[in-house]
Amino acid sequence: MKEIPEQHVKLHGFNNLTKSLSFNMYDICYTRTKEEREAYLEYIDEQYNAERLTTILKTVSDIIGAHVLNIAKQDYVPQGASVTILVSEGPVVEVPQESYSESPGPLPDSVVMALDKSHITVHTYPEFHPDEGISTFRADIDVSTCGEISPLKALNYLIHSFDTDIMTIDYRVRGFTRDISGHKLFIDHDINSIQNYIPDEVKDMYDMIDVNVYQEHIFHTKCKLREFDLDNYLFGYTKDTLSESEQEEITERITLEMDEIYYGKNLV
C-alpha cells in the first residue's frame, strides 16, 4: 500500500509510530597549553550547563507540541551535563498542513501538534587530545516521539542552538499503525533525506553525506563545516599574534580533527 500523509488517511485507533531523531554535534577548539584547555572546558561547561540545556529542550518540546511531565537534570564534576525530559500529549489547536512537508521546522514560535508519550534527552562530553592542541565538545540530543509529527521539525532550532563544526543526524521510524481497513502503515510521511529539513543557508555552510536505508525507514546525514575563520578556534588570543607557519599548522590540525570526525576514522 502506498504510504500517504497522515492527514489524508483515517486510522484504526491512534497513531503509534515511534519516530526518533538523534542529533550529535561537535565544537572544536585549538588549546596550545593546559591553561588554555582548562579555560576552554570551563567556558563550554558554563555555556552548555544543565540550566541552558533544559531551556533548549523545553523549546524543543514546544516545537513538537509536547507537554512536559518531568525534568531530570545534572551538572557533572569536573565537566559535562545531562538533561532528560519526559513529555506527554499536549493541547491541539489545529493540525497544520506543513507538519508533513519535507521542510525546515520553525525556530521558537508556537506549539504545532500533539504527542502521546515521549522523551527528549541531552548529554554533553567535553574532551581533549592528550598531547595538548585540540579540545572538543560533543553534545548528543535524542528526541523520540509517538504520534503524528516528526521530531525532524525541531532540527532547525537545534542547529541554531549550538556552534557546530560537525553534525551527525539520524532519523528512524519504528512500528506501524493501521488504517480503518486494517492495512499497516509503517511510515506516515514522505521523506528522502534529512537534508530537506535543514535550511538552505545552513546547507550552504556544510559538506554533507547521506547514508539512507529507505526500505527500513532509516536516514543518516553527516555535515562538516566547509570554511572557517581561525580566530573562532583560538582561545584567548587571535591569529594575528601567530606567524604564518603557526597559522598554517594550527589550521591543518583543526582540519584533520574535523575530517576524522566526519569520516569516522583516524587519517594519520
Side-chain angles (χ1 to χ4, degrees):
M1 178 179 178
K2 188 178 185 299
E3 289 150 354
I4 306 172
E6 177 69 28
Q7 62 263 37
H8 300 308
V9 177
K10 289 187 176 181
L11 297 181
H12 170 70
F14 68 96
N15 186 333
N16 60 7
L17 290 169
T18 297
K19 301 165 190 175
S20 299
L21 169 68
S22 294
F23 174 76
N24 170 227
M25 61 75 64
Y26 290 87
D27 177 80
I28 298 167
C29 184
Y30 184 80
T31 52
R32 57 187 173 182
T33 67
K34 178 181 178 182
E35 289 73 26
E36 288 179 12
R37 183 188 74 212
E38 290 176 348
Y40 168 73
L41 294 178
E42 182 179 349
Y43 165 78
I44 284 292
D45 215 39
E46 178 60 30
Q47 281 289 103
Y48 298 105
N49 59 31
E51 195 63 37
R52 185 186 175 197
L53 294 173
T54 299
T55 300
I56 291 173
L57 296 196
K58 282 182 177 179
T59 303
V60 170
S61 299
D62 287 342
I63 290 173
I64 63 176
H67 174 67
V68 175
L69 293 176
N70 184 62
I71 299 174
K73 58 185 177 181
Q74 180 65 52
D75 286 305
Y76 298 111
V77 177
Q79 293 98 22
S82 295
V83 180
T84 299
I85 295 182
L86 179 65
V87 296
S88 68
E89 184 177 23
V92 182
V93 177
E94 182 180 354
V95 178
Q97 296 297 313
E98 64 267 23
S99 292
Y100 300 95
S101 64
E102 285 189 280
S103 61
L107 295 177
D109 189 11
S110 61
V111 172
V112 293
M113 269 289 295
L115 304 175
D116 187 10
K117 293 181 176 62
S118 182
H119 67 271
I120 309 169
T121 64
V122 59
H123 304 284
T124 66
Y125 303 91
E127 182 268 352
F128 57 90
H129 193 283
D131 296 330
E132 311 296 348
I134 293 291
S135 294
T136 60
F137 164 71
R138 186 177 105 234
D140 294 344
I141 298 178
D142 292 294
V143 184
S144 181
T145 69
C146 180
E148 295 172 354
I149 196 170
S150 166
L152 284 167
K153 286 299 179 180
L155 181 57
N156 185 20
Y157 168 68
L158 288 173
I159 292 171
H160 281 81
S161 297
F162 296 90
D163 293 323
T164 306
D165 297 312
I166 305 288
M167 295 184 289
T168 302
I169 309 164
D170 294 283
Y171 178 66
R172 182 169 185 178
V173 181
R174 294 181 174 87
F176 64 86
T177 191
R178 293 182 187 270
D179 65 18
I180 56 176
S181 64
H183 287 286
K184 297 182 182 70
L185 299 174
F186 292 92
I187 192 168
D188 61 0
H189 63 99
D190 293 328
I191 176 173
N192 58 46
S193 173
I194 293 172
Q195 293 189 36
N196 296 333
Y197 292 84
I198 300 174
D200 289 338
E201 64 270 19
V202 175
K203 288 190 284 189
D204 290 343
M205 298 167 55
Y206 291 87
D207 291 322
M208 296 187 174
I209 296 174
D210 271 10
V211 181
N212 301 322
V213 186
Y214 296 106
Q215 66 271 26
E216 297 296 332
H217 312 305
I218 298 173
F219 304 88
H220 175 77
T221 297
K222 293 193 291 187
C223 315
K224 177 172 70 77
L225 201 63
R226 286 178 178 163
E227 299 177 355
F228 60 84
D229 184 346
L230 185 57
D231 277 338
N232 295 329
Y233 296 80
L234 304 176
F235 200 77
Y237 57 99
T238 58
K239 63 186 177 185
D240 57 14
T241 62
L242 303 171
S243 67
E244 288 189 9
S245 61
E246 288 175 320
Q247 291 183 37
E248 182 177 340
E249 178 185 354
I250 294 171
T251 299
E252 288 178 356
R253 291 199 63 178
I254 293 171
T255 300
L256 176 63
E257 184 77 2
M258 288 187 185
D259 287 344
E260 290 187 339
I261 295 171
Y262 185 57
Y263 293 108
K265 61 182 179 180
N266 292 302
L267 298 177
V268 293

